[in-house]
């Protein structure tokens, strides 16, 4: 066999992920907050992109009038063409002959505020208009939340009021910085003394002062000490209660008979002491350093129509309004002389146009997927969680002719506001459990039924997993005991033995 060189021409196909395609895929899985940050970054980098600061208007004529001057120069964007394109994107998958039609549409700049939302400034109270938001006398709710003191600030204030010596304050500040999230001291006295170069007795003396701070129980080193500090503050730390604190392990195990024997008290006193312990806070610092809870901003708004159907629209507050400044492009392009400058300007124009197109495609895809989810899970929206159907990504992907990975990206970190509450889109994808007559029941519905059974059980008759299995099978749900145990553990519900002990504590 001879070895030689030769030229060959081959033809093959391959999938290439262009930067534009990668950008479009990335936009699909971003939440509304991440999308806003991404668009702001693109606007900062691209001189041809600009944010449309004009808010949504309820009157279509006003919107058309404002958009008309640059309509011919602007590329396809959500603010201009999304309503028609989105409606057509969902019309082929909506039930056309049902009594409760699903009207899915995308509304962007043409949307006004929701019903009941504040109108123009003239509708605000006269007091708010006269003072203004910059005045110290009038602050909105978010501003007041933003000024809440942290736990460290509260402790530092108490430190300056309680300790006068600069050295003691330095030790106190160090111990404050060593607190854990639950309010316990996260360092030993020996380590603190070695770090500060002082005697252990000095650190212990300062710690005794810090343990008198609010909230009571702060700076404890153990659970026993934390509870003892709170009992001492209530003047309830008598010898019997101190003995009870030394046997917290027996309380957790539910061995009340042995504990009463060790303490030498009757059942009534023992019940009173247990009730006193249950009223204490084992985590005095937990939750005090958390910022204000951020409300979930839904991406899709859903409402019931008078004819019994559903209306879907994208939330205009979560849609970035981006425009391509073609006037600036024309002015700069005319002044460019170098080839490099012209190439740069052309690349930026192409990137800006692609971003606007990708945002439009993202919005259309979200409303398309949301419409199919509502159609598939209509029983849930009308009758509740017991009518939630088993659903997987493939079911939705095949119905709207998209890839499963696209549906997965669209439903990640996206929320829909419905008459039954606000849910993540992924909530509606659940596995199935075999039911009667070969039907399948949503696993989420089964979890809901298990929780309802356990919530309704009596302390004298705690339901075991086997009993729950028998009851579910009596309702036509074929489920194994290990599956019930798995669902119960996923909901953080203790076993029947643990629940029996806990309810015995409450009863006693």
């Amino acid at each position: 066999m001879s070895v030689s060189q030769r030229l060959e021409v081959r033809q093959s196909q391959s999938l290439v992920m262009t930067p534009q395609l990668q950008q479009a895929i990335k936009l699909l899985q971003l939440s509304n907050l991440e999308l806003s940050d991404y668009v702001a970054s693109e606007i900062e980098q691209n001189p041809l992109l600009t944010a449309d600061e004009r808010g949504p208007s309820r009157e279509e004529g006003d919107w058309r009038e404002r958009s008309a001057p640059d309509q011919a120069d602007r590329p396809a964007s959500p603010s201009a063409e999304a309503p028609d394109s989105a409606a057509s994107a969902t019309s082929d998958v909506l039930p056309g002959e049902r009594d409760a039609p699903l009207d899915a549409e995308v509304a962007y700049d043409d949307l006004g505020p929701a019903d009941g939302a504040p109108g123009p400034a003239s509708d605000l109270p006269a007091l708010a208009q006269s003072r203004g938001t910059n005045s110290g006398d009038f602050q909105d709710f978010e501003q007041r939340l933003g000024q809440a003191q942290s736990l460290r600030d509260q402790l530092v204030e108490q430190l300056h009021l309680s300790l006068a010596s600069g050295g003691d304050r330095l030790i106190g500040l160090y111990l404050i910085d060593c607190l854990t999230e639950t309010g316990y001291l996260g360092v030993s006295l020996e380590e603190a003394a070695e770090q500060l170069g002082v005697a252990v007795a000095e650190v212990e003396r300062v710690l005794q002062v810090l343990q008198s701070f609010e909230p009571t129980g702060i700076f404890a080193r153990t659970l026993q000490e934390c509870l003892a500090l709170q009992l001492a503050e209530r003047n309830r730390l008598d010898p019997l209660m101190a003995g009870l604190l030394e046997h917290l392990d027996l309380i957790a195990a539910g061995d009340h008979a042995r504990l009463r024997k060790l303490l030498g008290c009757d059942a009534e006193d023992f019940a009173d002491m247990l009730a006193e312990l249950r009223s204490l806070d084992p985590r005095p610092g937990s939750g005090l350093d958390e910022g204000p809870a951020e409300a979930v901003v839904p991406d899709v708004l859903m409402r019931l129509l008078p004819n019994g159907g559903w209306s879907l629209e994208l939330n205009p507050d979560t849609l970035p309004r981006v425009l391509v400044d073609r006037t600036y492009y024309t002015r700069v392009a005319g002044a460019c002389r170098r080839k490099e400058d012209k190439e740069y300007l052309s690349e930026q124009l192409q990137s800006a146009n692609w971003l606007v197109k990708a945002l439009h495609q993202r919005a259309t895809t979200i409303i398309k997927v949301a419409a199919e989810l509502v159609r598939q899970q209509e029983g849930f929206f009308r009758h509740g969680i017991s009518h939630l159907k088993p659903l997987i990504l493939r079911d939705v992907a095949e119905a709207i002719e998209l890839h499963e990975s696209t549906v997965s990206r669209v439903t990640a970190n996206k929320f829909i506001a419905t008459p039954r509450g606000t849910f993540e889109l992924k909530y509606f994808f659940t596995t199935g459990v075999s039911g009667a007559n070969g039907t399948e029941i949503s696993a989420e519905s089964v979890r809901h039924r298990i929780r309802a059974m356990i919530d309704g059980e009596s302390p004298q008759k705690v339901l075991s997993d086997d009993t729950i299995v028998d009851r579910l099978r009596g309702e036509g749900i074929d489920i194994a005991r290990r599956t019930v145990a798995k669902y119960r553990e996923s909901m953080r519900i203790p076993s029947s033995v643990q629940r029996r002990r806990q309810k015995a504590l409450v009863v006693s």
Side-chain angles (χ1 to χ4, degrees):
M1 179 178 180
S2 61
V3 179
S4 61
Q5 296 180 347
R6 59 182 179 180
L7 296 176
E8 290 185 354
V9 179
R10 294 182 180 179
Q11 188 177 23
S12 62
Q13 294 181 342
S14 62
L15 179 63
V16 179
M17 294 284 288
T18 63
Q20 291 83 359
L21 181 58
Q22 294 177 9
Q23 181 190 52
I25 293 176
K26 180 181 179 181
L27 292 181
L28 279 178
Q29 58 191 11
L30 294 181
S31 64
N32 50 46
L33 294 179
E34 294 170 339
L35 181 64
S36 299
D37 293 339
Y38 179 82
V39 171
S41 175
E42 290 294 317
I43 292 176
E44 183 178 355
Q45 298 175 12
N46 195 329
L48 300 182
L49 283 175
T50 179
D52 186 5
E53 302 296 341
R54 298 171 298 189
S57 172
R58 184 175 292 274
E59 297 183 6
E60 183 179 358
D62 180 61
W63 176 83
R64 291 180 183 276
E65 181 179 352
R66 288 187 286 108
S67 301
D70 58 350
Q71 186 72 19
D73 296 332
R74 285 171 51 189
S77 66
S79 58
E81 301 180 6
D84 294 337
S85 59
S88 61
T90 56
S91 59
D92 56 336
V93 298
L94 300 180
E97 300 179 358
R98 300 181 60 165
D99 295 334
L102 178 63
D103 178 20
E105 60 183 17
V106 186
Y108 293 87
D109 291 348
D110 200 24
L111 280 179
D115 294 339
S122 58
D123 295 336
L124 296 175
L127 178 63
Q129 293 187 28
S130 63
R131 292 181 178 179
T133 57
N134 293 328
S135 171
D137 297 331
F138 178 77
Q139 296 175 335
D140 60 18
F141 180 67
E142 293 180 355
Q143 289 175 326
R144 292 197 298 272
L145 283 179
Q147 297 175 355
Q149 274 189 323
S150 65
L151 175 61
R152 187 182 188 280
D153 294 336
Q154 298 175 27
L155 295 175
V156 170
E157 283 188 2
Q158 298 178 68
L159 175 70
H160 288 297
L161 294 175
S162 303
L163 298 174
S165 170
D168 292 346
R169 289 182 177 180
L170 180 61
I171 297 174
L173 287 174
Y174 177 81
L175 296 180
I176 289 175
D177 290 333
C178 291
L179 283 179
T180 65
E181 294 181 356
T182 54
Y184 287 82
L185 188 62
V187 64
S188 67
L189 298 185
E190 291 76 13
E191 292 173 346
E194 182 180 355
Q195 184 69 25
L196 298 173
V198 298
V200 176
E202 294 186 33
V203 179
E204 187 173 5
R205 177 175 52 82
V206 174
L207 178 61
Q208 291 178 357
V209 178
L210 298 182
Q211 287 181 342
S212 65
F213 287 1
E214 293 290 339
T216 307
I218 202 79
F219 291 102
R221 287 160 288 183
T222 62
L223 175 60
Q224 179 181 347
E225 186 178 22
C226 176
L227 300 178
L229 290 172
Q230 298 179 55
L231 290 170
E233 193 269 340
R234 301 183 182 184
N235 197 23
R236 288 282 290 122
L237 189 60
D238 50 37
L240 199 59
M241 185 66 79
L244 181 63
L245 293 179
E246 294 178 358
H247 299 89
L248 293 178
D249 55 334
L250 295 180
I251 298 178
D255 195 350
H256 298 166
R258 181 183 175 189
L259 193 52
R260 286 200 302 268
K261 184 177 180 180
L262 290 174
L263 297 177
C265 63
D266 56 21
E268 184 178 356
D269 290 339
F270 183 75
D272 291 340
M273 288 191 295
L274 287 182
E276 189 77 27
L277 279 184
R278 285 195 296 268
S279 65
L280 304 178
D281 186 3
R283 301 160 61 95
S286 179
L288 297 178
D289 224 6
E290 298 178 355
E294 295 184 1
V296 173
V297 180
D299 301 86
V300 183
L301 305 178
M302 174 183 176
R303 60 186 176 89
L304 183 64
L305 295 176
N307 63 353
W310 303 105
S311 173
L312 295 179
E313 62 184 19
L314 291 181
N315 187 352
D317 295 334
T318 64
L319 295 175
R321 299 177 178 86
V322 183
L323 302 177
V324 179
D325 195 342
R326 292 184 175 271
T327 303
Y328 179 72
Y329 168 77
T330 303
R331 185 169 67 252
V332 175
C336 286
R337 296 294 180 264
R338 297 192 305 169
K339 180 180 178 181
E340 295 81 1
D341 296 339
K342 293 182 179 179
E343 289 179 351
Y344 170 78
L345 200 61
S346 178
E347 290 176 359
Q348 296 304 311
L349 178 62
Q350 182 181 6
S351 176
N353 287 333
W354 185 268
L355 176 62
V356 173
K357 181 180 179 181
L359 290 174
H360 178 203
Q361 183 63 34
R362 175 184 182 272
T364 305
T365 307
I366 290 176
I367 201 67
K368 195 174 183 179
V369 172
E372 180 61 25
L373 283 176
V374 172
R375 189 184 71 83
Q376 296 268 10
Q377 299 289 5
E378 188 175 6
F380 164 77
F381 297 109
R382 296 192 181 277
H383 307 292
I385 195 172
S386 59
H387 288 73
L388 194 65
K389 294 169 49 180
L391 188 66
I392 58 177
L393 293 172
R394 185 173 62 250
D395 298 336
V396 176
E398 292 177 352
I400 58 180
E401 299 181 353
L402 290 176
H403 197 271
E404 289 183 42
S405 62
T406 302
V407 177
S408 177
R409 291 186 179 96
V410 168
T411 54
N413 303 316
K414 310 295 188 307
F415 294 85
I416 178 172
T418 74
R420 291 194 176 274
T422 300
F423 301 90
E424 188 177 8
L425 292 181
K426 280 192 176 297
Y427 172 81
F428 301 105
F429 294 100
T430 61
T431 57
V433 176
S434 299
N437 301 324
T439 60
E440 284 196 345
I441 302 173
S442 168
E444 191 64 30
S445 300
V446 177
R447 289 190 184 94
H448 177 74
R449 187 70 190 103
I450 292 174
R451 178 177 289 278
M453 288 183 182
I454 294 176
D455 290 343
E457 67 184 4
S458 63
Q460 294 78 18
K461 193 175 182 180
V462 176
L463 301 178
S464 65
D465 291 346
D466 291 324
T467 304
I468 295 176
V469 168
D470 294 338
R471 291 193 178 186
L472 289 175
R473 288 178 177 174
E475 297 176 4
I477 302 175
D478 187 12
I479 190 171
R481 190 194 66 82
R482 62 179 180 273
T483 306
V484 170
K486 181 180 70 173
Y487 288 171
R488 175 179 53 75
E489 291 171 358
S490 68
M491 295 184 290
R492 297 183 178 180
I493 297 176
S495 64
S496 58
V497 176
Q498 293 172 320
R499 297 200 309 275
R500 187 177 294 108
R501 290 176 178 175
Q502 293 174 357
K503 295 189 177 184
L505 279 174
V506 176
V507 173
S508 59

